[in-house]
Amino acid sequence: MNLQNELLSVIKDVPDFPKKGVIFKDINPLFKDPQLMKKVTAQMAEFAKLTNIQHIVGIESRGFFFGMPLALELNLPFIAARKKGKLPGEVVSESYALEYGTDSIEIQKNSLLKGQRYLIVDDIIATGGTANAAAKIIQNSGGIVSGFTFLIELTFLNGCETLLKTTPHVQIQSLIKV
Ligand SMILES: O=P(O)(O)OC[C@H]1O[C@H](OP(=O)(O)OP(=O)(O)O)[C@H](O)[C@@H]1O
Ligand SMILES: Nc1ncnc2[nH]cnc12
């Protein structure tokens, strides 16, 4: 079985979670399969190497599951983009709309370096609001968003179009598109 089909076989659809009308993609079964997780990390690392990045940014919380192993695999620094109020010190914030609500994320100011190249990692791109907010924080602080990598892309929500408006030349990897 190829990686896409292996992933499709373990990721479960949960209708009406966390609210009516949303089909939630449950990735927890993937975490019970270390070999499959290693294949995911390897595929993300292959893509990341093409983008010439210097920092990995993982989005709270599910982006951490993929961002940290990727950073270790590539021997690169990992930066946490966290939900509002979780990070100490000076932070840069950005608000965004979710498929099911609104939120804001923050990155510590001392992690945002002018002219440095960043890869943003998350488990899923739905509307693109979350990843786009992370990109805006980096870009508005003088950093370069060179790429995004996602385990899952919900194509019907056109999230990648939103990302391309903020960062027109960025490279985007989605391991599976549904
Ligand atoms: O493309 P979007 O419409 O912005 O949606 C995608 C985001 O939604 C989920 O996070 P959530 O806010 O549910 O938090 P969690 O990772 O802590 O579960 C997911 O992990 C992405 O970060
Ligand atoms: N449909 C979905 N499944 C899992 N996580 C999500 N985040 C936003 N939309 C989602």
Side-chain angles (χ1 to χ4, degrees), residues 67-88:
M68 183 62 87
L70 180 59
L72 295 176
E73 174 72 20
L74 295 169
N75 228 350
L76 288 174
F78 175 83
I79 297 161
R82 298 214 57 184
K83 302 282 161 70
K84 199 175 181 61
K86 300 281 185 184
L87 289 170

PDB file of all heavy atoms in Angstrom, residues 67-88:
ATOM      1  N   GLY A  67       5.608  18.635  13.837  1.00  0.00           N
ATOM      2  CA  GLY A  67       6.691  19.620  13.735  1.00  0.00           C
ATOM      3  C   GLY A  67       7.944  19.234  14.500  1.00  0.00           C
ATOM      4  O   GLY A  67       9.056  19.387  13.989  1.00  0.00           O
ATOM      5  N   MET A  68       7.758  18.725  15.730  1.00  0.00           N
ATOM      6  CA  MET A  68       8.939  18.407  16.543  1.00  0.00           C
ATOM      7  C   MET A  68       9.743  17.230  15.958  1.00  0.00           C
ATOM      8  O   MET A  68      10.961  17.349  15.811  1.00  0.00           O
ATOM      9  CB  MET A  68       8.541  18.166  17.998  1.00  0.00           C
ATOM     10  CG  MET A  68       9.712  17.910  18.915  1.00  0.00           C
ATOM     11  SD  MET A  68      10.854  19.327  18.984  1.00  0.00           S
ATOM     12  CE  MET A  68      10.097  20.298  20.299  1.00  0.00           C
ATOM     13  N   PRO A  69       9.099  16.094  15.606  1.00  0.00           N
ATOM     14  CA  PRO A  69       9.896  15.027  14.988  1.00  0.00           C
ATOM     15  C   PRO A  69      10.568  15.475  13.691  1.00  0.00           C
ATOM     16  O   PRO A  69      11.686  15.057  13.381  1.00  0.00           O
ATOM     17  CB  PRO A  69       8.888  13.895  14.715  1.00  0.00           C
ATOM     18  CG  PRO A  69       7.555  14.392  15.100  1.00  0.00           C
ATOM     19  CD  PRO A  69       7.700  15.678  15.840  1.00  0.00           C
ATOM     20  N   LEU A  70       9.895  16.346  12.955  1.00  0.00           N
ATOM     21  CA  LEU A  70      10.476  16.847  11.707  1.00  0.00           C
ATOM     22  C   LEU A  70      11.721  17.696  11.989  1.00  0.00           C
ATOM     23  O   LEU A  70      12.757  17.549  11.325  1.00  0.00           O
ATOM     24  CB  LEU A  70       9.417  17.666  10.949  1.00  0.00           C
ATOM     25  CG  LEU A  70       9.830  18.263   9.622  1.00  0.00           C
ATOM     26  CD1 LEU A  70      10.285  17.179   8.635  1.00  0.00           C
ATOM     27  CD2 LEU A  70       8.682  19.069   9.008  1.00  0.00           C
ATOM     28  N   ALA A  71      11.614  18.564  13.000  1.00  0.00           N
ATOM     29  CA  ALA A  71      12.761  19.404  13.360  1.00  0.00           C
ATOM     30  C   ALA A  71      13.942  18.540  13.804  1.00  0.00           C
ATOM     31  O   ALA A  71      15.095  18.809  13.433  1.00  0.00           O
ATOM     32  CB  ALA A  71      12.361  20.380  14.470  1.00  0.00           C
ATOM     33  N   LEU A  72      13.659  17.485  14.567  1.00  0.00           N
ATOM     34  CA  LEU A  72      14.740  16.589  15.031  1.00  0.00           C
ATOM     35  C   LEU A  72      15.361  15.850  13.849  1.00  0.00           C
ATOM     36  O   LEU A  72      16.584  15.715  13.756  1.00  0.00           O
ATOM     37  CB  LEU A  72      14.201  15.598  16.070  1.00  0.00           C
ATOM     38  CG  LEU A  72      13.714  16.222  17.387  1.00  0.00           C
ATOM     39  CD1 LEU A  72      13.109  15.164  18.286  1.00  0.00           C
ATOM     40  CD2 LEU A  72      14.836  16.957  18.106  1.00  0.00           C
ATOM     41  N   GLU A  73      14.519  15.398  12.931  1.00  0.00           N
ATOM     42  CA  GLU A  73      15.002  14.686  11.734  1.00  0.00           C
ATOM     43  C   GLU A  73      15.921  15.587  10.892  1.00  0.00           C
ATOM     44  O   GLU A  73      16.920  15.136  10.349  1.00  0.00           O
ATOM     45  CB  GLU A  73      13.771  14.239  10.905  1.00  0.00           C
ATOM     46  CG  GLU A  73      14.058  13.617   9.561  1.00  0.00           C
ATOM     47  CD  GLU A  73      14.645  12.221   9.663  1.00  0.00           C
ATOM     48  OE1 GLU A  73      14.480  11.588  10.722  1.00  0.00           O
ATOM     49  OE2 GLU A  73      15.284  11.779   8.679  1.00  0.00           O
ATOM     50  N   LEU A  74      15.560  16.866  10.811  1.00  0.00           N
ATOM     51  CA  LEU A  74      16.316  17.807   9.972  1.00  0.00           C
ATOM     52  C   LEU A  74      17.408  18.552  10.753  1.00  0.00           C
ATOM     53  O   LEU A  74      18.144  19.344  10.171  1.00  0.00           O
ATOM     54  CB  LEU A  74      15.361  18.839   9.360  1.00  0.00           C
ATOM     55  CG  LEU A  74      14.320  18.290   8.377  1.00  0.00           C
ATOM     56  CD1 LEU A  74      13.282  19.356   8.062  1.00  0.00           C
ATOM     57  CD2 LEU A  74      14.979  17.796   7.096  1.00  0.00           C
ATOM     58  N   ASN A  75      17.446  18.298  12.070  1.00  0.00           N
ATOM     59  CA  ASN A  75      18.422  19.004  12.908  1.00  0.00           C
ATOM     60  C   ASN A  75      18.233  20.522  12.850  1.00  0.00           C
ATOM     61  O   ASN A  75      19.207  21.280  12.727  1.00  0.00           O
ATOM     62  CB  ASN A  75      19.833  18.642  12.450  1.00  0.00           C
ATOM     63  CG  ASN A  75      20.703  18.265  13.617  1.00  0.00           C
ATOM     64  OD1 ASN A  75      20.325  18.451  14.780  1.00  0.00           O
ATOM     65  ND2 ASN A  75      21.885  17.753  13.330  1.00  0.00           N
ATOM     66  N   LEU A  76      16.989  20.938  12.916  1.00  0.00           N
ATOM     67  CA  LEU A  76      16.670  22.371  12.836  1.00  0.00           C
ATOM     68  C   LEU A  76      15.948  22.810  14.114  1.00  0.00           C
ATOM     69  O   LEU A  76      15.318  21.988  14.791  1.00  0.00           O
ATOM     70  CB  LEU A  76      15.761  22.643  11.626  1.00  0.00           C
ATOM     71  CG  LEU A  76      16.407  22.539  10.250  1.00  0.00           C
ATOM     72  CD1 LEU A  76      15.352  22.696   9.158  1.00  0.00           C
ATOM     73  CD2 LEU A  76      17.508  23.573  10.067  1.00  0.00           C
ATOM     74  N   PRO A  77      16.009  24.102  14.432  1.00  0.00           N
ATOM     75  CA  PRO A  77      15.283  24.593  15.605  1.00  0.00           C
ATOM     76  C   PRO A  77      13.767  24.493  15.412  1.00  0.00           C
ATOM     77  O   PRO A  77      13.267  24.717  14.303  1.00  0.00           O
ATOM     78  CB  PRO A  77      15.717  26.053  15.724  1.00  0.00           C
ATOM     79  CG  PRO A  77      16.504  26.377  14.520  1.00  0.00           C
ATOM     80  CD  PRO A  77      16.808  25.137  13.757  1.00  0.00           C
ATOM     81  N   PHE A  78      13.072  24.175  16.504  1.00  0.00           N
ATOM     82  CA  PHE A  78      11.601  24.102  16.499  1.00  0.00           C
ATOM     83  C   PHE A  78      11.041  25.306  17.251  1.00  0.00           C
ATOM     84  O   PHE A  78      11.492  25.636  18.353  1.00  0.00           O
ATOM     85  CB  PHE A  78      11.128  22.812  17.181  1.00  0.00           C
ATOM     86  CG  PHE A  78       9.630  22.731  17.316  1.00  0.00           C
ATOM     87  CD1 PHE A  78       8.853  22.279  16.255  1.00  0.00           C
ATOM     88  CD2 PHE A  78       8.993  23.131  18.487  1.00  0.00           C
ATOM     89  CE1 PHE A  78       7.467  22.218  16.363  1.00  0.00           C
ATOM     90  CE2 PHE A  78       7.602  23.075  18.601  1.00  0.00           C
ATOM     91  CZ  PHE A  78       6.844  22.606  17.539  1.00  0.00           C
ATOM     92  N   ILE A  79      10.031  25.941  16.651  1.00  0.00           N
ATOM     93  CA  ILE A  79       9.368  27.093  17.269  1.00  0.00           C
ATOM     94  C   ILE A  79       7.887  26.766  17.428  1.00  0.00           C
ATOM     95  O   ILE A  79       7.243  26.297  16.477  1.00  0.00           O
ATOM     96  CB  ILE A  79       9.539  28.348  16.378  1.00  0.00           C
ATOM     97  CG1 ILE A  79      11.027  28.708  16.261  1.00  0.00           C
ATOM     98  CG2 ILE A  79       8.731  29.527  16.921  1.00  0.00           C
ATOM     99  CD1 ILE A  79      11.345  29.595  15.087  1.00  0.00           C
ATOM    100  N   ALA A  80       7.348  27.025  18.630  1.00  0.00           N
ATOM    101  CA  ALA A  80       5.935  26.751  18.896  1.00  0.00           C
ATOM    102  C   ALA A  80       5.093  27.991  18.611  1.00  0.00           C
ATOM    103  O   ALA A  80       5.353  29.054  19.163  1.00  0.00           O
ATOM    104  CB  ALA A  80       5.762  26.324  20.348  1.00  0.00           C
ATOM    105  N   ALA A  81       4.091  27.836  17.728  1.00  0.00           N
ATOM    106  CA  ALA A  81       3.058  28.860  17.559  1.00  0.00           C
ATOM    107  C   ALA A  81       1.918  28.429  18.468  1.00  0.00           C
ATOM    108  O   ALA A  81       1.288  27.396  18.232  1.00  0.00           O
ATOM    109  CB  ALA A  81       2.604  28.920  16.104  1.00  0.00           C
ATOM    110  N   ARG A  82       1.681  29.200  19.548  1.00  0.00           N
ATOM    111  CA  ARG A  82       0.745  28.752  20.576  1.00  0.00           C
ATOM    112  C   ARG A  82      -0.514  29.603  20.638  1.00  0.00           C
ATOM    113  O   ARG A  82      -0.531  30.745  20.174  1.00  0.00           O
ATOM    114  CB  ARG A  82       1.437  28.752  21.945  1.00  0.00           C
ATOM    115  CG  ARG A  82       2.614  27.778  21.987  1.00  0.00           C
ATOM    116  CD  ARG A  82       2.775  27.140  23.327  1.00  0.00           C
ATOM    117  NE  ARG A  82       1.563  26.432  23.749  1.00  0.00           N
ATOM    118  CZ  ARG A  82       1.433  25.852  24.944  1.00  0.00           C
ATOM    119  NH1 ARG A  82       2.417  25.908  25.815  1.00  0.00           N
ATOM    120  NH2 ARG A  82       0.305  25.227  25.257  1.00  0.00           N
ATOM    121  N   LYS A  83      -1.575  29.023  21.181  1.00  0.00           N
ATOM    122  CA  LYS A  83      -2.826  29.755  21.375  1.00  0.00           C
ATOM    123  C   LYS A  83      -2.575  30.896  22.383  1.00  0.00           C
ATOM    124  O   LYS A  83      -1.664  30.807  23.221  1.00  0.00           O
ATOM    125  CB  LYS A  83      -3.921  28.817  21.896  1.00  0.00           C
ATOM    126  CG  LYS A  83      -4.202  27.612  20.975  1.00  0.00           C
ATOM    127  CD  LYS A  83      -5.053  27.969  19.762  1.00  0.00           C
ATOM    128  CE  LYS A  83      -4.967  26.935  18.637  1.00  0.00           C
ATOM    129  NZ  LYS A  83      -5.581  25.660  18.878  1.00  0.00           N
ATOM    130  N   LYS A  84      -3.413  31.918  22.273  1.00  0.00           N
ATOM    131  CA  LYS A  84      -3.234  33.156  23.042  1.00  0.00           C
ATOM    132  C   LYS A  84      -3.002  32.909  24.544  1.00  0.00           C
ATOM    133  O   LYS A  84      -3.671  32.089  25.168  1.00  0.00           O
ATOM    134  CB  LYS A  84      -4.486  34.011  22.875  1.00  0.00           C
ATOM    135  CG  LYS A  84      -4.310  35.462  23.217  1.00  0.00           C
ATOM    136  CD  LYS A  84      -5.585  36.226  22.905  1.00  0.00           C
ATOM    137  CE  LYS A  84      -5.439  37.688  23.215  1.00  0.00           C
ATOM    138  NZ  LYS A  84      -4.389  38.342  22.436  1.00  0.00           N
ATOM    139  N   GLY A  85      -2.027  33.625  25.096  1.00  0.00           N
ATOM    140  CA  GLY A  85      -1.821  33.620  26.541  1.00  0.00           C
ATOM    141  C   GLY A  85      -0.982  32.490  27.090  1.00  0.00           C
ATOM    142  O   GLY A  85      -0.855  32.351  28.295  1.00  0.00           O
ATOM    143  N   LYS A  86      -0.393  31.661  26.222  1.00  0.00           N
ATOM    144  CA  LYS A  86       0.374  30.498  26.689  1.00  0.00           C
ATOM    145  C   LYS A  86       1.878  30.742  26.715  1.00  0.00           C
ATOM    146  O   LYS A  86       2.614  30.000  27.369  1.00  0.00           O
ATOM    147  CB  LYS A  86       0.105  29.288  25.777  1.00  0.00           C
ATOM    148  CG  LYS A  86      -1.330  28.841  25.716  1.00  0.00           C
ATOM    149  CD  LYS A  86      -1.707  28.025  26.927  1.00  0.00           C
ATOM    150  CE  LYS A  86      -3.106  27.463  26.816  1.00  0.00           C
ATOM    151  NZ  LYS A  86      -3.496  26.751  28.032  1.00  0.00           N
ATOM    152  N   LEU A  87       2.333  31.740  25.953  1.00  0.00           N
ATOM    153  CA  LEU A  87       3.783  31.950  25.840  1.00  0.00           C
ATOM    154  C   LEU A  87       4.226  33.142  26.684  1.00  0.00           C
ATOM    155  O   LEU A  87       3.622  34.225  26.597  1.00  0.00           O
ATOM    156  CB  LEU A  87       4.169  32.208  24.377  1.00  0.00           C
ATOM    157  CG  LEU A  87       4.094  31.016  23.427  1.00  0.00           C
ATOM    158  CD1 LEU A  87       4.254  31.496  21.981  1.00  0.00           C
ATOM    159  CD2 LEU A  87       5.159  29.972  23.752  1.00  0.00           C
ATOM    160  N   PRO A  88       5.290  32.988  27.463  1.00  0.00           N
ATOM    161  CA  PRO A  88       5.798  34.108  28.261  1.00  0.00           C
ATOM    162  C   PRO A  88       6.644  35.071  27.415  1.00  0.00           C
ATOM    163  O   PRO A  88       7.091  34.710  26.325  1.00  0.00           O
ATOM    164  CB  PRO A  88       6.679  33.417  29.305  1.00  0.00           C
ATOM    165  CG  PRO A  88       7.178  32.195  28.607  1.00  0.00           C
ATOM    166  CD  PRO A  88       6.091  31.758  27.659  1.00  0.00           C
TER     167      PRO A  88
END
